[in-house]
Amino acid sequence: MEMDNKRTNLIINYIPQTLTDEEFRSMFLSIGPIKSAKIVRDKATGYSYGFGFVDYENVEDAQRAMQTLNGLQMQNKTIKVALARPGGEEIKGANLYVRNLPRHYQQMDLERLFQQFGTIIQSRVLTDQATGVSKGVGFVLFDQKKQAEEAINQITGTVPAGGTEALLIKFADDNAKKVRPPAMPYINTAPCFPAPGPMRSPGNRFRYNPVTGNYSTPNSGLSLSQGGYVIFVYNIGASSCEKTLWQLFSPFGTVQKVNIMRDHQKGQSKNYGFVTMTNLQEAQNAIARLNGYDYAGCGRPLQVKFKN
């Protein structure tokens, strides 16, 4: 039984900051029954640290969740779904706080610097909310504490390639009182309408089921993106955001990616976007149900079709 527990508990990394706990739970509940699901947040502010845990009732459902949802693109993130590490003293204190990173460093650069010391569970580089420029500070969470200790011993005080300052590396817990969670990134969510129509219609029961065993042969003329089917959606309104468009399509099947075209000078949507779905039949069903639907409640029905 203890071994089964290790095989049902999953860790999910790179969760978008705007994803709610209920959306997180619903996404994984669609695979099968779960014991628990939670996004790890700062207790004082509620800020999401970008990762969470899901514990399934059955090993088979946990395996399907990893196979189906690992690598799913949500907003500007690609989530990572894997088995969670077992508890124990060897994994405590494996989170590092890193200062004096070169300002051009991104997450991949940070991981490249530390991956020689062991398995990295998660990493992030803090950026300025207004400018998007790196603050020269990052966090690296290793699989085991001894790997984090090795990184501290080997590269503390060294100057990384492209940098001008020596790295200062400490265990993250040592800086818990000094470092505040970064501010929430700006996302145009006003009014960001709640999930409409299909999810609430009593006459049609839709169940979001990302597990699909059959993949159809693509029709000629359909646009494919990484094995998915790209849907063009028009009349979504100037205030629409990726979150609500994802909510609109997710009841019909697995949504790989949502991309809203934006007018950056006006700070609003250009009134259209693209949704990529995994399965052809699910994409066709979404088009049939949503084409003509008054999404924004403003009398302008959606135009939904495959991108040619």
Side-chain angles (χ1 to χ4, degrees):
M1 182 63 69
E2 183 178 352
M3 181 61 68
D4 282 349
N5 289 341
K6 294 179 181 179
R7 296 168 59 199
T8 59
N9 193 24
L10 305 180
I11 181 171
I12 297 87
N13 284 308
Y14 310 116
I15 300 170
Q17 255 73 31
T18 55
L19 193 70
T20 67
D21 293 277
E22 184 57 34
E23 290 167 344
F24 178 71
R25 179 181 178 85
S26 296
M27 181 169 63
F28 286 89
L29 186 61
S30 65
I31 301 289
I34 59 179
K35 301 176 186 176
S36 62
K38 67 174 183 177
I39 295 175
V40 178
R41 299 181 181 274
D42 180 74
K43 293 181 179 180
T45 65
Y47 169 82
S48 167
Y49 284 110
F51 70 98
F53 296 92
V54 174
D55 193 6
Y56 277 95
E57 295 281 356
N58 304 309
V59 173
E60 295 78 12
D61 291 332
Q63 291 293 325
R64 278 198 295 271
M66 287 189 287
Q67 294 169 2
T68 306
L69 299 178
N70 183 48
L72 178 68
Q73 188 161 358
M74 299 180 64
Q75 300 172 33
N76 62 335
K77 301 283 188 178
T78 301
I79 66 172
K80 179 181 177 182
V81 183
L83 287 173
R85 299 174 297 161
E89 291 298 321
E90 70 274 7
I91 69 169
K92 293 182 179 179
N95 194 20
L96 297 182
Y97 167 82
V98 187
R99 291 191 61 181
N100 297 338
L101 289 171
R103 295 307 171 106
H104 68 275
Y105 262 38
Q106 299 180 0
Q107 180 185 324
M108 65 179 67
D109 300 304
L110 180 63
E111 290 204 0
R112 193 177 297 116
L113 180 64
F114 282 88
Q115 65 186 4
Q116 58 184 306
F117 303 106
T119 302
I120 296 175
I121 302 300
Q122 189 178 41
S123 65
R124 62 189 174 102
V125 175
L126 301 189
T127 57
D128 183 89
Q129 179 187 5
T131 64
V133 176
S134 168
K135 294 183 177 180
V137 175
F139 291 89
V140 179
L141 176 61
F142 278 100
D143 181 58
Q144 296 185 5
K145 183 177 181 179
K146 62 182 181 181
Q147 298 169 346
E149 291 174 337
E150 182 68 13
I152 290 178
N153 293 335
Q154 291 293 329
I155 61 174
T156 296
T158 64
V159 179
T164 58
E165 298 179 278
L167 293 174
L168 173 62
I169 309 173
K170 297 182 179 180
F171 287 110
D173 291 345
D174 296 339
N175 296 273
K177 296 181 180 180
K178 301 178 183 178
V179 182
R180 297 180 180 179
M184 291 288 287
Y186 171 76
I187 293 181
N188 184 16
T189 58
C192 265
F193 307 98
M199 302 174 78
R200 300 180 180 179
S201 172
N204 298 288
R205 296 183 179 274
F206 298 98
R207 181 173 183 267
Y208 172 31
N209 181 13
V211 182
T212 168
N214 299 317
Y215 288 86
S216 304
T217 303
N219 289 345
S220 60
L222 298 186
S223 179
L224 297 175
S225 174
Q226 297 181 347
Y229 297 86
V230 184
I231 300 171
F232 171 75
V233 191
Y234 182 70
N235 268 345
I236 59 177
S239 299
S240 291
C241 60
E242 282 82 358
K243 175 180 174 181
T244 52
L245 198 58
W246 180 83
Q247 288 176 331
L248 182 67
F249 278 81
S250 63
F252 300 97
T254 302
V255 176
Q256 290 184 357
K257 183 179 179 181
V258 174
N259 187 15
I260 290 180
M261 300 296 102
R262 299 190 179 279
D263 186 324
H264 295 289
Q265 291 184 343
K266 295 181 180 180
Q268 64 184 29
S269 160
K270 290 184 177 180
N271 201 32
Y272 71 95
F274 299 93
V275 176
T276 304
M277 299 188 70
T278 299
N279 182 271
L280 175 60
Q281 185 175 3
E282 293 172 347
Q284 290 173 330
N285 190 29
I287 291 173
R289 295 288 183 175
L290 295 177
N291 187 46
Y293 179 73
D294 187 2
Y295 169 59
C298 53
R300 295 194 300 269
L302 288 178
Q303 295 181 27
V304 186
K305 62 181 180 179
F306 282 115
K307 177 186 175 184
N308 293 325

